[in-house]
C-alpha cells in the first residue's frame, strides 16, 4: 500500500485555480506504480488506466491524498486501486475520485514481463475488489483488443450469457 500526499501549488492548477486533471493523473500513476513496485520488488510499467472521472474540483492550497493498494495479481500484471481525497486545514477529507490501474512487473535486466507474487485480500473491502478484478481484467483486455469477447467468461456471466 502507498499513501502519497501533495500540496496544490499554482503550477499545478488550471486558469480557474483548480488542480489540472492531467497533473492528478500523473500523481495517480506515480502512487499506483509505487504500490505495485513495493509489492513486486521489481520495476513496473503502466499497461492500462481504467475510466477516470473528475467528480469534484480540488482548489489551490488544498492537500491531495492518494491512497493506493494492490487488489489482485494476475500473472505478470497486477491491478492497483487508487482513491483520491482532498484534505482541508482541519484535516477533513472528501473523496474526489478513484481508478484502477494495471501495471506489469519487469525483470530489471531483460525488461521483459516476469510473474509477480500473489496478493491475499484480508478486509471485506479488499475481498470485494479482489473478487471483481477478473471481470475488470477481461473488460480491459477486450477493450484493448487483446481478448475476444467470447473468451471473457466472467464478464459474460455478469450479463447472464
Ligand atoms: C505492458 C507491456 C509490458 C506488455 O508487454 P507484452 O509484450 O504485450 O507482454 P505480454 O503479452 O506477456 O503481457 C504482459 C502482461 O500485460 C498484460 N497487459 C498487456 N496489455 C494490457 C492492457 N492493455 N491492459 C491490461 N493488461 C495488459 C497482459 O495481460 C499480461 O498480463 P498477465 O501476465 O498477468 O496475464 C508492453 O506492452 C509495454 O511495455 N508497454 C508500454 C508500457 C509503458 O511504457 N507504459 C507507460 C505509458 S507511456
Amino acid at each position: 500500500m502507498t499513501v502519497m500526499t501533495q500540496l496544490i501549488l499554482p503550477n499545478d492548477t488550471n486558469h480557474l485555480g483548480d488542480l489540472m486533471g492531467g497533473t492528478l493523473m500523473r500523481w495517480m500513476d506515480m502512487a499506483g506504480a509505487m504500490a505495485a513496485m513495493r509489492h513486486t520488488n521489481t520495476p513496473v510499467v503502466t499497461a492500462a488506466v481504467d475510466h477516470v472521472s473528475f467528480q469534484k474540483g480540488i482548489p489551490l492550497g488544498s492537500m491531495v491524498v492518494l491512497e493506493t493498494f494492490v487488489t489482485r495479481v494476475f500473472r505478470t500484471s497486477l491491478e492497483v486501486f487508487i482513491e483520491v481525497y482532498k484534505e482541508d486545514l482541519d484535516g477533513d477529507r472528501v473523496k474526489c475520485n478513484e481508478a484502477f490501474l494495471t501495471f506489469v512487473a519487469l525483470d530489471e535486466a531483460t525488461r521483459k514481463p516476469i510473474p509477480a507474487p500473489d496478493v491475499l485480500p484480508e478486509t471485506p473491502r479488499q475481498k470485494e475488489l479482489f473478487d471483481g478484478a477478473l471481470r475488470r481484467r477481461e473488460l480491459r483486455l477486450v477493450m484493448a483488443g487483446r481478448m475476444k469477447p467470447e473468451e471473457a467468461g466472467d464478464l459474460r456471466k455478469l450479463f447472464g450469457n
Side-chain angles (χ1 to χ4, degrees), residues 48-51 74 79 100 102 132-149 151-156 158-159:
V49 179
D50 290 6
H51 177 81
F74 305 113
E79 183 190 75
F100 293 96
T102 305
L134 290 181
R135 250 188 344 257
R136 290 189 296 275
R137 174 176 188 266
E138 287 182 350
L139 182 59
R140 66 179 74 94
L141 291 179
V142 169
M143 296 297 281
R146 295 179 68 105
M147 180 184 274
K148 294 186 182 130
E151 293 166 357
D154 277 275
L155 202 54
R156 287 165 63 109
L158 185 68
F159 293 105

Side-chain angles (χ1 to χ4, degrees), residues 45-48 74-78 102 104 106 113 137 140-141 144 146:
V45 286
T46 314
F74 305 113
R75 198 180 72 84
T76 64
S77 65
L78 56 160
T102 305
V104 177
L106 298 185
R137 174 176 188 266
R140 66 179 74 94
L141 291 179
R146 295 179 68 105

